[in-house]
Amino acid sequence: MIRILSRYIILFVLTLLVLAAMSFSLAYLFPGDVLTNLTGITAQNDIQRNALIKQFRLDSGYLVQFGYYLNELFAGNWGYSFISGLPLRDEIGLALPATIELASYAMLLAIVIGIPVGCYAGLRSYTPADYGINSASMVGYSFPVFWLALLFILVFSLELNIVPLSGRISLLFDIPDKTGFILLDILLADNIDRSLAFKDALQHLLLPTLAISTITTASMIRLTRRSVIDVLNRPYIAAARSRGLSRWQIFFRHILRNALLPILPLMAIQITTLITNAMIVETLFSWPGIGNWLIQAIYQRDYPALRVGMLAVASMVITLTILIDLFNRLIDPSREKYERATV
């Protein structure tokens, strides 16, 4: 276990160093002044400019500049936005939790719906029910997420007018931003009608969550179905039946656990897809997440925001992927032994 942890720590550190180097290089690749792209500060005179050049080591070699850049990143000094003039650490701290919240609820919905439906389809394999579920999952997986989001807006917001069109919560509610997660912030807020605010936030969450989770739910159904069918053909299932175990005993003792183990490594890919889809959907629903924030930075040519925003998103995706893969190895040691034997 120590060897596995050390290997993942080394991989994590090296990956972050590569991402940081790419982020630093963007200051040179973006149009405009390197100093301004790196700091977000426009020097007002030569004295201020020379001071900033010396501070950020721009009069030294690339490695010295990159070393100082890493030191500033770890210290939380990520520069300033061209547009708002606010520290980028504060702006990302507000936008990133909104994206994580949206992706988390979509993943939860995909797990709650996808795994039971996939298990049912696998247990009823090659029956009309299985064919119907499999066909529906294929259709759901084929929808582009932006097209699905626009369809939901057209039907449920514009035509039926049963859910809000955009935003995170109604402007009538003043919710202090304590955790970045709107539902938790409502529970922690004072002097408001929590039940009414909670209901309003859920209505705003409904359409973007459904749009994001549809593709992931369809994928989860197909993965679970295939895994259950594979487990059903294993010898130990036939042995369990010969011992006289009931159908439910076989399912919970043998099928469910062994069917879920192959699915867990694929959840890392699904999380990456979820975050990407969440960033796309945010722009359609005016959701104040990192995706919508980056789109606005592109429109307004806020290069420091783009540089740090892409670093934050890439670091989050890499961190989640490594953590999930490490979790899979810890709960399934046989996978490590198998990979070692095949090398």
Side-chain angles (χ1 to χ4, degrees):
M1 183 180 296
I2 296 177
R3 180 166 33 177
I4 295 176
L5 288 174
S6 61
R7 186 189 308 169
Y8 274 92
I9 290 174
I10 294 173
L11 176 63
F12 178 70
V13 172
L14 291 177
T15 305
L16 289 185
L17 284 176
V18 172
L19 292 176
M22 294 174 63
S23 173
F24 177 71
S25 300
L26 288 177
Y28 287 89
L29 298 176
F30 283 144
D33 183 38
V34 174
L35 176 63
T36 308
N37 293 338
L38 195 61
T39 63
I41 301 174
T42 303
Q44 301 299 319
N45 49 57
D46 292 339
I47 297 177
Q48 184 182 13
R49 178 178 177 82
N50 292 331
L52 289 173
I53 289 175
K54 291 182 179 179
Q55 177 184 348
F56 286 88
R57 310 295 193 271
L58 294 182
D59 54 350
S60 304
Y62 184 86
L63 292 180
V64 176
Q65 298 176 33
F66 179 61
Y68 184 81
Y69 178 73
L70 285 178
N71 181 68
E72 291 293 287
L73 283 179
F74 288 119
N77 301 322
W78 298 353
Y80 296 85
S81 170
F82 276 169
I83 308 305
S84 65
L86 297 175
L88 291 172
R89 182 184 61 180
D90 296 342
E91 292 205 347
I92 291 177
L94 293 174
L96 196 57
T99 300
I100 296 175
E101 180 181 40
L102 200 57
S104 300
Y105 296 150
M107 175 57 81
L108 180 62
L109 187 62
I111 292 174
V112 170
I113 296 176
I115 291 181
V117 174
C119 287
Y120 179 80
L123 294 173
R124 303 287 182 180
S125 57
Y126 309 111
T127 64
D130 175 41
Y131 291 137
I133 293 173
N134 201 26
S135 299
S137 65
M138 290 180 64
V139 172
Y141 188 78
S142 302
F143 282 137
V145 64
F146 65 89
W147 186 88
L148 197 60
L150 291 174
L151 182 63
F152 285 165
I153 291 174
L154 176 63
V155 175
F156 296 106
S157 294
L158 299 180
E159 295 294 335
L160 300 179
N161 195 26
I162 58 177
V163 288
L165 176 62
S166 61
R168 202 178 186 191
I169 195 170
S170 175
L171 297 177
L172 298 174
F173 299 99
D174 185 16
I175 310 297
D177 188 15
K178 295 182 179 180
T179 66
F181 293 83
I182 188 64
L183 298 183
L184 291 179
D185 289 338
I186 290 174
L187 296 177
L188 297 175
D190 298 323
N191 301 322
I192 64 168
D193 188 340
R194 289 192 180 91
S195 61
L196 190 60
F198 204 82
K199 179 181 178 181
D200 185 81
L202 287 178
Q203 289 177 343
H204 283 80
L205 270 169
L206 182 60
L207 288 188
T209 302
L210 286 177
I212 298 169
S213 64
T214 297
I215 297 176
T216 306
T217 302
S219 179
M220 196 72 69
I221 290 173
R222 293 169 59 82
L223 292 173
T224 306
R225 173 189 176 273
R226 183 174 58 190
S227 184
V228 168
I229 293 175
D230 181 66
V231 171
L232 285 173
N233 295 322
R234 298 294 177 86
Y236 55 80
I237 300 298
R241 288 171 179 165
S242 66
R243 293 199 304 269
L245 296 179
S246 66
R247 180 180 301 177
W248 290 109
Q249 287 176 325
I250 295 174
F251 176 76
F252 286 107
R253 291 184 184 180
H254 301 284
I255 297 177
L256 185 61
R257 178 181 179 274
N258 291 289
L260 291 181
L261 283 177
I263 296 176
L264 290 175
L266 299 173
M267 289 182 63
I269 302 175
Q270 295 301 318
I271 288 179
T272 304
T273 304
L274 270 177
I275 294 175
T276 304
N277 290 339
M279 294 173 63
I280 295 173
V281 168
E282 285 172 1
T283 60
L284 300 175
F285 288 97
S286 297
W287 187 267
I290 192 70
N292 192 22
W293 183 75
L294 283 173
I295 290 297
Q296 298 303 319
I298 292 173
Y299 288 154
Q300 299 170 356
R301 297 184 181 181
D302 193 346
Y303 299 125
L306 286 174
R307 174 180 53 79
V308 177
M310 288 187 287
L311 174 62
V313 172
S315 300
M316 178 182 64
V317 171
I318 291 297
T319 302
L320 290 175
T321 303
I322 290 178
L323 287 176
I324 291 175
D325 194 63
L326 176 60
F327 177 73
N328 293 333
R329 290 179 180 271
L330 293 178
I331 66 173
D332 187 15
S334 60
R335 180 184 170 192
E336 176 76 12
K337 294 178 182 178
Y338 172 77
E339 291 181 354
R340 193 180 305 167
T342 56
V343 174

